[in-house]
Amino acid sequence: MQTKPEKRQRLALDGVLLLDKPVGLSSNDALIKAKRLLNAKKAGHTGTLDPFATGLLPLCFGEATKFSQDLLEADKTYETVVHLGIRTGTGDTEGEVLEQRDVAVTREQAEAVLEKFRGAIDQVPPMHSALKRDGKPLYEYARQGITLERAARRVTIHALELLAFEAPFLTLRVTCSKGTYIRVLGEDIGAALGCGAHLKALRRTQVGSLTLDGCVTLEQLMAIEDGQRTAMLAPVDALLSSFPAVELPEILVQRFLHGQRLALGKENVTLPEAEGRVRVYAAADGRLLGTALLQAYAVLAPERLVVAH
């Protein structure tokens, strides 16, 4: 009687993989491939990139998944090529061409229009998006030819730079708040220029404080030997570098890990000047304990805690 081969034991890995996502893969497919290559138990991504887009996709493993929400909320930077004169059903290269128009746009006209899209703007989310209505993502309605009313949402374009202009292509760098659709931005710029547009290419270069520095591709990950792939993981606190650090003496560590609020006013602990979110470490060995809210009167309220394996 033939015995089934034993399943490989999944590893309890903690850390962050900075993946350079390729064209053609959804964020979830990229996550599944990376999780399999690392043989990890638990993993999640930090906000989707469209299949046609490339670039920075931070993947969280183990305890790092507790802090993925911080990157969902973070500002992001993209570089994109806007193809003027052609509108598509999806706002990018994956949709059917809906309209073609002549492009008679100068660089000066493009610069003038871009000024209108800097700062706080309203965007109507696209039908081809993962936003849900009655439990179904909008893209499912779109695939059935159904268009639903969508309320405009306020987003912020912190920076919008024209990197290159060679008609019919605008190359832009965009830094924006969470919830911004670069496809919609490209379409709206095309509409303001009177010729329509879609995105020819989109690459994410930064999420919060994380950049493409140290990014790896799936091909690079596959080329590394099994036992050495975990060395590509950045530590969990790579997600928390924008928060001030607080170090606790050993006498307070267990109380913090049990979720107790700590009054630090009389303790020998160096605290940041401002109240707000902090990352908390054990002073003795430097291990990350979690995040907390530093409140009035030097009170430290535990928020998300790291569990040691």
Side-chain angles (χ1 to χ4, degrees):
M1 182 175 165
Q2 238 178 358
T3 57
K4 289 184 180 179
E6 285 189 22
K7 277 192 175 180
R8 204 162 53 137
Q9 189 71 28
R10 295 276 182 181
L11 302 176
L13 301 177
D14 298 321
V16 182
L17 181 72
L18 302 182
L19 184 70
D20 189 344
K21 189 191 85 65
V23 169
L25 275 187
S26 70
S27 295
N28 201 50
D29 287 341
L31 172 66
I32 290 169
K33 287 178 180 291
K35 183 181 177 183
R36 189 179 298 129
L37 286 168
L38 286 161
N39 193 32
K41 276 186 180 178
K42 183 180 180 182
H45 60 69
T46 56
T48 58
L49 271 179
D50 292 333
F52 95 104
T54 68
L56 181 58
L57 181 66
L59 303 179
C60 297
F61 293 85
E63 290 297 289
T65 59
K66 293 179 178 179
F67 308 103
S68 60
Q69 185 65 32
D70 298 310
L71 287 194
L72 290 172
E73 303 285 330
D75 292 339
K76 298 169 180 70
T77 299
Y78 300 86
E79 291 185 4
T80 185
V81 178
V82 180
H83 190 161
L84 300 176
I86 299 177
R87 290 197 309 112
T88 71
T90 57
D92 57 34
T93 57
E94 298 192 322
E96 292 182 12
V97 173
L98 301 179
E99 182 185 25
Q100 294 192 50
R101 301 179 71 172
D102 292 333
V103 178
V105 174
T106 65
R107 186 184 184 100
E108 290 70 29
Q109 288 171 325
E111 288 278 18
V113 162
L114 292 184
E115 183 57 36
K116 300 175 183 178
F117 291 92
R118 296 183 177 110
I121 63 171
D122 290 323
Q123 272 195 344
V124 177
M127 279 301 300
H128 286 271
S129 70
L131 289 177
K132 290 190 175 179
R133 180 76 59 84
D134 298 327
K136 280 172 55 174
L138 291 180
Y139 63 74
E140 289 192 11
Y141 293 100
R143 287 169 183 169
Q144 297 168 33
I146 300 171
T147 300
L148 302 176
E149 287 283 328
R150 287 100 64 208
R153 303 194 306 181
R154 179 59 58 97
V155 297
T156 303
I157 307 300
H158 300 294
L160 179 57
E161 183 182 356
L162 180 59
L163 299 179
F165 175 68
E166 189 172 339
F169 301 116
L170 296 175
T171 302
L172 306 174
R173 181 183 293 122
V174 186
T175 299
C176 55
S177 65
K178 68 166 186 172
T180 303
Y181 288 93
I182 307 300
R183 281 180 291 141
V184 174
L185 180 64
E187 289 181 305
D188 289 348
I189 288 170
L193 286 168
C195 57
H198 72 282
L199 295 194
K200 181 186 178 189
L202 178 63
R203 182 163 177 77
R204 187 158 68 189
T205 60
Q206 187 164 349
V207 178
S209 61
L210 301 176
T211 69
L212 286 168
D213 291 342
C215 257
V216 294
T217 64
L218 287 171
E219 288 76 12
Q220 289 170 330
L221 205 57
M222 283 187 279
I224 298 170
E225 292 183 18
D226 283 0
Q228 297 177 359
R229 288 182 186 136
T230 56
M232 302 307 298
L233 293 179
V236 173
D237 60 359
L239 301 176
L240 308 172
S241 61
S242 62
F243 303 143
V246 171
E247 294 186 344
L248 296 181
E250 199 59 35
I251 194 170
L252 297 177
V253 167
Q254 287 308 312
R255 288 176 57 193
F256 179 83
L257 290 175
H258 283 99
Q260 295 180 25
R261 290 158 57 92
L262 304 176
L264 300 178
K266 296 180 181 179
E267 302 290 345
N268 187 24
V269 176
T270 302
L271 298 175
E273 292 180 8
E275 296 172 15
R277 294 190 69 196
V278 295
R279 49 195 163 114
V280 183
Y281 298 86
D285 56 14
R287 75 185 185 279
L288 178 69
L289 305 176
T291 58
L293 287 175
L294 182 61
Q295 300 174 330
Y297 307 107
V299 171
L300 193 67
E303 190 184 39
R304 298 189 189 108
L305 304 176
V306 171
V307 177
H309 296 300

